[in-house]
Amino acid sequence: MNLNPFDFYRFDNPDGSSKLWAIRYNHDGTFTTFWGKSGAKMASNTKGIVHPDDMHKLIRSKQRKGYEHSGQAWIGDDGKISNVPPTSSKPVGVDHQPTENDPNIYWRIKIPSPMLDSPVHHFSRGLATGYANAILRTYPDCLWAEMIIHGHGDFVKPDAGCLSKEDGIASLLLLMVLKKNAPEGITVSLSHEDGVEISDQLKLETEALSFFDTDLESVRQIAEEMGLLVKRIDLSMIAPEQEDFYF
């Protein structure tokens, strides 16, 4: 049983009535939505995630229509809404999905039309899949990596979106390594909320790391593995004693 709560969004009609819409990631590559009038039995649907930004795009589309985040709750198999989980186990998951007022990091992938489905494009997709597999060894819950692998690198296409804190540092590392190793003609761009560019030099991007509440040393191992940081010299491999010195 999935113990994650749903994020609820509410739309108030001019006549005083309201509608509810709820969404939850199921940690199996799918997400579930519920919707209906307040107080009535809600309909539901479960879909597979094709693109890592699918849920965020859907949430933003609801917000543009006037739905506002109203909190979290659980929905039982009978469709009833509850403020406690269906079992005594502690729910696992995210505090909340991003709202329009949350800060974000923005990304964009540009590929000229003639390059689509070219050998270079296919190489980039394979590259993305390889890095996603590396990420999952360190961050097994990274939705972005799961979706890239599931789609065999289809993420690498002309598109744009944003990262919230809930996406985690792994999503940023993936985009940074794609930016660093993108073949000529394919451009991966990253920027902060204020438009300041994020480079592929991880050691210079302390602000981007702090956005995800982490620092360079916390991600050093995976960053070195993916080439975002130069590996440190292992001093244990150097002879500890040197008797003679020649100049």
Side-chain angles (χ1 to χ4, degrees), residues 118-175:
S118 68
V120 173
H121 187 202
H122 289 296
F123 171 77
S124 297
R125 291 168 59 183
L127 197 67
T129 302
Y131 284 125
N133 276 301
I135 280 287
L136 282 178
R137 291 195 291 270
T138 302
Y139 301 99
D141 295 329
C142 179
L143 172 60
W144 278 67
E146 289 179 8
M147 292 302 101
I148 289 173
I149 293 170
H150 178 73
H152 304 290
D154 283 344
F155 170 76
V156 183
K157 61 184 180 182
D159 205 352
C162 62
L163 302 178
S164 69
K165 289 181 182 291
E166 286 74 23
D167 289 310
I169 185 61
S171 59
L172 177 66
L173 295 177
L174 267 172
L175 286 164

Side-chain angles (χ1 to χ4, degrees), residues 98-100 102-106 162-165 191-193 211:
T99 68
E100 287 184 327
D102 284 335
N104 295 292
I105 285 177
Y106 294 90
C162 62
L163 302 178
S164 69
K165 289 181 182 291
S191 66
H192 291 285
E193 191 86 24
F211 177 85

Side-chain angles (χ1 to χ4, degrees), residues 64-86:
R64 285 193 294 269
K65 293 177 182 177
Y67 283 81
E68 295 185 359
H69 188 261
S70 58
Q72 289 187 324
W74 286 265
I75 302 177
D77 295 335
D78 56 1
K80 292 184 178 180
I81 301 172
S82 173
N83 286 323
V84 295

Side-chain angles (χ1 to χ4, degrees), residues 3-14:
L3 298 178
N4 289 324
F6 283 83
D7 279 277
F8 275 79
Y9 293 80
R10 179 187 176 105
F11 179 86
D12 293 316
N13 293 304

Side-chain angles (χ1 to χ4, degrees), residues 78-237:
D78 56 1
K80 292 184 178 180
I81 301 172
S82 173
N83 286 323
V84 295
T87 71
S88 59
S89 300
K90 182 180 179 180
V92 180
V94 199
D95 289 334
H96 67 87
Q97 293 294 337
T99 68
E100 287 184 327
N101 294 323
D102 284 335
N104 295 292
I105 285 177
Y106 294 90
W107 60 268
R108 181 181 296 277
I109 296 176
K110 293 182 180 180
I111 304 176
S113 297
M115 292 186 66
L116 294 175
D117 293 324
S118 68
V120 173
H121 187 202
H122 289 296
F123 171 77
S124 297
R125 291 168 59 183
L127 197 67
T129 302
Y131 284 125
N133 276 301
I135 280 287
L136 282 178
R137 291 195 291 270
T138 302
Y139 301 99
D141 295 329
C142 179
L143 172 60
W144 278 67
E146 289 179 8
M147 292 302 101
I148 289 173
I149 293 170
H150 178 73
H152 304 290
D154 283 344
F155 170 76
V156 183
K157 61 184 180 182
D159 205 352
C162 62
L163 302 178
S164 69
K165 289 181 182 291
E166 286 74 23
D167 289 310
I169 185 61
S171 59
L172 177 66
L173 295 177
L174 267 172
L175 286 164
M176 288 185 74
V177 76
L178 291 176
K179 175 183 175 75
K180 185 178 181 69
N181 296 286
E184 186 176 355
I186 296 179
T187 304
V188 179
S189 303
L190 290 161
S191 66
H192 291 285
E193 191 86 24
D194 56 6
V196 175
E197 180 185 0
I198 298 173
S199 72
D200 58 20
Q201 303 298 308
L202 186 61
K203 64 182 180 180
L204 303 178
E205 299 302 335
T206 54
E207 183 180 348
L209 289 168
S210 64
F211 177 85
F212 293 101
D213 299 320
T214 189
D215 56 32
L216 201 60
E217 293 309 311
S218 300
V219 301
R220 176 171 290 279
Q221 184 173 349
I222 182 63
E224 288 182 352
E225 181 181 341
M226 295 197 302
L228 288 172
L229 288 176
V230 176
K231 290 187 177 181
R232 287 175 168 171
I233 297 175
D234 186 353
L235 297 178
S236 66
M237 301 298 292

Side-chain angles (χ1 to χ4, degrees), residues 21-23 31-33 47 53-65:
W21 181 77
I23 187 168
F31 66 92
T32 299
T33 54
K47 291 183 178 180
D53 204 31
D54 279 351
M55 287 180 59
H56 292 172
K57 286 181 178 178
L58 186 56
I59 291 169
R60 290 194 293 272
S61 72
K62 288 293 182 181
Q63 291 173 327
R64 285 193 294 269
K65 293 177 182 177

